[in-house]
Amino acid sequence: MISTDDHAPLHDPEVARWVTLGITGLVASEQSSLENALDSTEVRAVLEEFDPTGQALVIGSNYMGLPEVAGRPVLNHRRPEWIELENKTTIDQLWSELSVPHAPAHVVDVAEDALWRLWQVSELMDSGWGVVWSGDGPAINGGANFVRRVRTHAEARRVYRYLAPKCTNIRVMPFLEGIPVSVHGIVFPDGTAVLRPIEMVVPRRTESAKFLYAGCASYYDPPAAIRDEMRNLARRVGEQLRGTVGYRGTFTLDGVATADGFRPTEVNTRYGGAMTCFEDALPQLPLALLQVALVAGHEVGISSIEFEDLLVSAADTTRISAIGANVKAVRPESEVERPVVWTEWACRWAHEDEPAHGSLRLRPGPVGGRLELELYQEAVRPGRPAAPLVVSAFALADQDWGTGVGRLEPAIAMACEREVEAEVAFEAVTA
């Protein structure tokens, strides 16, 4: 096992050797350093000792684009034409090819006068909520790294200064009010399995153009019409990817559940982070290894429709959250965790012996600290989005732990807010 960091999970040293590379940081920089390290003399020496005949197979990370490591094939490597589909400045072509309703967008080349042109386009596209600028960026461009909300001249100047040195093109589209949602498709040899929608927990920073990508949760239920719309589109996207680039395995279709329906914004051609909601809903099924097998072209012994029925049923029954954010204001040396409760949307620490709705955790992280929120399934009813709970919990962490996340505001469930509110009994469960 070759690991980027120095943490080795429980393993049998008689069976496996754990090799650490001492690489830390955020995903994009970590992955780049990993791929460079895999070609180093030190790693090659370890591989030759383990596999002198060169017959081993490599299972890489979800982001790995290397087809081989020291002559040994990477089973789940991402082909260049698959990676290119993640470019946020070109994906609108796919919506047009599929005749999908989508928000208008305009792509501007980054050049000396680009700021003036970007602002002109932004004024035309702003429908009252501001606009969103998305840069093409590197091959690994997730977690809202190169995505910013622009509402003023000052924000435009700051965002341009950040994106221009890193990007070739910037896409401008209207800001869409609604819940950010993602639906996963998994391309099998016989068809595309489509899973249930997952809320992408992306609060807005009230004092910044940045978004905070804080993970995902499966508690939110879009209206039935939007759920069907998302799943139908994901199936069409999967079949399009199969036919055009020979795609296999998992992809994510991301967008916003708006008052006008689902509006897609991007596709990520990899095993998405929100797959943890399905892993935990059906822990006896090794989804990550199934992904490797599909990409490598192995027979997995189950049809796409059987797999879809199995996983959608489990995920609709068992709701999961995987919520967290890196924080730079603190550098904890050890982990601390405390239970919390919500009174409507306000969050406080749970009293002793009081039933908790969740727990806040602060532990050492890659850039300082890692703030995590766990929602207890038995205490949080399905239906409502998790983002408001996250906003209030992170505010509590800022107040008492000094985590420095800053002021946040949640996305607004435009299409189904009244419908969901009517189903929640505050006297029974306040979370």
Side-chain angles (χ1 to χ4, degrees), residues 233-291:
L233 177 55
R235 203 176 308 277
R236 294 175 62 200
V237 168
E239 294 307 299
Q240 180 82 350
L241 297 185
R242 174 215 302 281
T244 57
V245 295
Y247 194 77
R248 287 293 186 273
T250 307
F251 67 91
T252 75
L253 170 64
D254 297 351
V256 182
T258 75
D260 298 319
F262 177 67
R263 294 295 179 265
T265 56
E266 64 183 76
V267 168
N268 293 310
T269 45
R270 50 184 156 85
Y271 190 83
M275 285 299 291
T276 187
C277 292
F278 302 96
E279 294 172 347
D280 293 347
L282 202 64
Q284 65 269 35
L285 183 63
L287 294 179
L289 289 179
L290 181 135
Q291 162 77 5

Side-chain angles (χ1 to χ4, degrees), residues 207-253:
E207 299 166 344
S208 168
K210 294 181 181 179
F211 296 89
L212 174 67
Y213 176 71
C216 58
S218 61
Y219 289 90
Y220 172 62
D221 289 320
I226 290 184
R227 175 181 168 123
D228 290 345
E229 185 181 10
M230 293 179 65
R231 299 186 72 240
N232 290 338
L233 177 55
R235 203 176 308 277
R236 294 175 62 200
V237 168
E239 294 307 299
Q240 180 82 350
L241 297 185
R242 174 215 302 281
T244 57
V245 295
Y247 194 77
R248 287 293 186 273
T250 307
F251 67 91
T252 75
L253 170 64

Side-chain angles (χ1 to χ4, degrees), residues 317-341:
T317 303
T318 304
R319 304 305 177 100
I320 305 295
S321 62
I323 296 168
N326 296 318
V327 292
K328 299 179 180 179
V330 293
R331 291 185 174 273
E333 297 181 356
S334 59
E335 182 178 301
V336 59
E337 183 173 357
R338 291 184 63 180
V340 296
V341 297

Side-chain angles (χ1 to χ4, degrees), residues 124-374:
L124 292 173
M125 289 196 169
D126 188 349
S127 57
W129 302 91
V131 295
V132 174
W133 291 7
S134 302
D136 46 12
I140 302 174
N141 182 4
N145 287 339
F146 290 165
V147 180
R148 297 290 188 272
R149 184 182 184 183
V150 174
R151 290 158 291 186
T152 66
H153 284 280
E155 282 182 333
R157 287 193 295 271
R158 287 193 294 270
V159 171
Y160 182 73
R161 283 198 297 268
Y162 174 76
L163 292 179
K166 304 174 178 67
C167 305
T168 304
N169 298 288
I170 296 174
R171 180 186 69 180
V172 183
M173 64 180 294
F175 178 85
L176 303 175
E177 187 57 87
I179 302 297
V181 282
S182 177
V183 60
H184 291 69
I186 305 175
V187 181
F188 281 69
D190 70 327
T192 298
V194 178
L195 308 185
R196 65 155 283 134
I198 299 293
E199 176 190 359
M200 307 308 293
V201 182
V202 188
R204 305 89 179 256
R205 298 183 184 272
T206 61
E207 299 166 344
S208 168
K210 294 181 181 179
F211 296 89
L212 174 67
Y213 176 71
C216 58
S218 61
Y219 289 90
Y220 172 62
D221 289 320
I226 290 184
R227 175 181 168 123
D228 290 345
E229 185 181 10
M230 293 179 65
R231 299 186 72 240
N232 290 338
L233 177 55
R235 203 176 308 277
R236 294 175 62 200
V237 168
E239 294 307 299
Q240 180 82 350
L241 297 185
R242 174 215 302 281
T244 57
V245 295
Y247 194 77
R248 287 293 186 273
T250 307
F251 67 91
T252 75
L253 170 64
D254 297 351
V256 182
T258 75
D260 298 319
F262 177 67
R263 294 295 179 265
T265 56
E266 64 183 76
V267 168
N268 293 310
T269 45
R270 50 184 156 85
Y271 190 83
M275 285 299 291
T276 187
C277 292
F278 302 96
E279 294 172 347
D280 293 347
L282 202 64
Q284 65 269 35
L285 183 63
L287 294 179
L289 289 179
L290 181 135
Q291 162 77 5
V292 173
L294 284 172
V295 174
H298 291 290
E299 174 60 50
V300 296
I302 188 172
S303 70
S304 59
I305 193 64
E306 290 173 321
F307 181 82
E308 177 180 306
D309 289 344
L310 177 69
L311 215 53
V312 170
S313 175
D316 279 343
T317 303
T318 304
R319 304 305 177 100
I320 305 295
S321 62
I323 296 168
N326 296 318
V327 292
K328 299 179 180 179
V330 293
R331 291 185 174 273
E333 297 181 356
S334 59
E335 182 178 301
V336 59
E337 183 173 357
R338 291 184 63 180
V340 296
V341 297
W342 285 271
T343 304
E344 297 192 9
W345 295 123
C347 186
R348 61 172 174 80
W349 302 118
H351 301 307
E352 189 175 356
D353 299 327
E354 179 183 18
H357 301 146
S359 62
L360 265 174
R361 182 184 309 113
L362 181 63
R363 61 177 178 83
V367 293
R370 178 72 180 174
L371 179 62
E372 297 174 338
L373 174 66
E374 180 180 355

Side-chain angles (χ1 to χ4, degrees), residues 34-83:
L34 169 63
E35 295 193 359
N36 290 333
L38 289 175
D39 193 41
S40 67
T41 303
E42 293 78 8
V43 170
R44 285 177 174 268
V46 170
L47 290 174
E48 292 303 323
E49 179 184 344
F50 166 71
D51 177 42
T53 60
Q55 294 180 315
L57 303 175
V58 181
I59 297 176
S61 76
N62 298 327
Y63 300 93
M64 189 169 288
L66 295 177
E68 63 174 40
V69 173
R72 299 161 178 87
V74 178
L75 295 184
N76 58 329
H77 84 278
R78 303 170 69 209
R79 302 178 192 172
E81 59 268 31
W82 297 1
I83 296 174

